[in-house]
Amino acid sequence: MGQAKSRRRADVAPQSSQGAPSQMDVTLLPQELLVLILSWVPGRTLVTVGRLVCREWRDLIDSPVLWKLQGERDPSKREAFRAALEAARHCPRMEWARVGVLQPFGRNLIKNPCGEEQFLHWQVGYGDGVCLGDNTCWISQLVDLVKEGLWEDLLDTFQPDIFISDWWGTHEKCSCTYNLYVLLLAADRNSVITRFVTEMDPAAEWNIPFQQASHVFRKYGPGVRYLRFQHIGNRPGPEHTEAHITNSTVLVKLSG
């Protein structure tokens, strides 16, 4: 009896020790722990892969809790997430997965706002580009608002405020002019829904310090999908220096 019992244990023990290690079923984890684990996964992976796992994961990724954990952990995301929480107070249909990855609120949507690296991301024109005259120069950037993280229902129904600003100044005695043109465009990129144009007085003084031109688009109506940001300088002669521009900004905020 004793030998038979010992032999039975010997038969069972190797199967247990040599078998494949058991794998944890994450679907059995408490939701609080599952959210914490998922919050360490990169945002784009969560959206492109995690949402497809099951309905529970999809619902967690589409809620603000997971993105709040990421925002609190990463200092570079905190301001954008605070702006998103403020927006959520006024928009009950927030697309949190989209907002968590692209962070459209409280972030400058202009790329290369100071025109560095030979105006990377900007279109540059001279001569009679937009304004006639051989001494005219302009730079322009088209912002795809949907690609930057906003969505059609938000733009059409809730119409968040769009803040634009630009800093400009001159050096040397140049008698330059500075004009800022910002257009809100429809999906065809050509139809203008509304615009802001500021025409500054000629800068005829030596070393004009940087000053700000700004505007807020509110209640602009449905259909906005793009924003054209363009500033134009004109100088009286090629021997003079044109206006200098820096820190161009487009911010989207949703508030009451």
Side-chain angles (χ1 to χ4, degrees):
M1 298 272 304
Q3 290 180 353
K5 186 175 182 180
S6 176
R7 194 163 46 245
R8 185 179 179 184
R9 288 178 179 174
D11 292 340
V12 173
Q15 295 177 6
S16 176
S17 61
Q18 294 178 5
S22 60
Q23 297 181 352
M24 179 182 293
D25 186 353
V26 294
T27 62
L28 300 178
L29 292 174
Q31 191 176 82
E32 294 79 3
L33 183 55
L34 179 58
V35 170
L36 181 60
I37 294 173
L38 290 177
S39 71
W40 289 95
V41 179
R44 291 188 181 275
T45 303
L46 286 172
V47 173
T48 58
V49 179
R51 291 184 80 256
L52 305 179
V53 172
C54 63
R55 182 178 299 176
E56 181 185 11
W57 282 37
R58 183 199 64 191
D59 293 343
L60 289 176
I61 294 169
D62 288 345
S63 72
V65 179
L66 186 151
W67 304 104
K68 180 180 180 181
L69 289 172
Q70 288 198 351
E72 291 174 345
R73 189 180 301 128
D74 187 347
S76 66
K77 296 181 179 180
R78 288 175 187 169
E79 184 176 350
F81 187 76
R82 291 193 189 104
L85 287 177
E86 175 63 23
R89 294 174 54 192
H90 309 280
C91 177
R93 301 192 293 271
M94 287 287 283
E95 296 188 8
W96 281 106
R98 187 179 187 84
V99 170
V101 174
L102 299 176
Q103 302 176 22
F105 300 105
R107 172 176 67 88
N108 188 1
L109 303 186
I110 290 288
K111 296 179 174 63
N112 189 17
C114 295
E116 300 171 331
E117 301 181 30
Q118 298 182 339
F119 292 103
L120 179 67
H121 300 298
W122 292 90
Q123 290 181 304
V124 182
Y126 301 94
D128 59 357
V130 176
C131 292
L132 297 177
D134 293 336
N135 299 318
T136 296
C137 57
W138 55 269
I139 63 174
S140 177
Q141 188 169 146
L142 182 69
V143 179
D144 185 335
L145 297 173
V146 175
K147 186 177 180 179
E148 292 298 330
L150 305 174
W151 56 98
E152 294 181 357
D153 179 52
L154 178 78
L155 290 167
D156 293 343
T157 305
F158 298 95
Q159 298 175 27
D161 294 343
I162 301 177
F163 295 77
I164 57 101
S165 71
D166 205 27
W167 290 85
W168 69 282
T170 64
H171 68 77
E172 300 183 13
K173 195 169 184 178
C174 60
S175 298
C176 298
T177 61
Y178 162 83
N179 301 310
L180 175 64
Y181 294 77
V182 182
L183 311 176
L184 297 188
L185 304 174
D188 62 4
R189 304 188 184 191
N190 292 314
S191 301
V192 178
I193 293 177
T194 187
R195 71 185 71 205
F196 170 74
V197 180
T198 178
E199 296 187 3
M200 315 299 289
D201 293 332
E205 300 178 12
W206 188 292
N207 286 336
I208 290 181
F210 275 95
Q211 49 192 303
Q212 186 180 29
S214 61
H215 179 70
V216 181
F217 289 102
R218 289 191 173 100
K219 305 299 180 184
Y220 36 80
V224 172
R225 299 292 181 267
Y226 294 89
L227 180 147
R228 170 74 68 184
F229 193 101
Q230 184 171 49
H231 34 224
I232 300 170
N234 193 285
R235 53 190 179 176
E239 72 278 5
H240 297 303
T241 304
E242 66 272 12
H244 291 260
I245 306 156
T246 187
N247 203 27
S248 304
T249 302
V250 173
L251 291 175
V252 177
K253 298 181 181 181
L254 186 58
S255 57

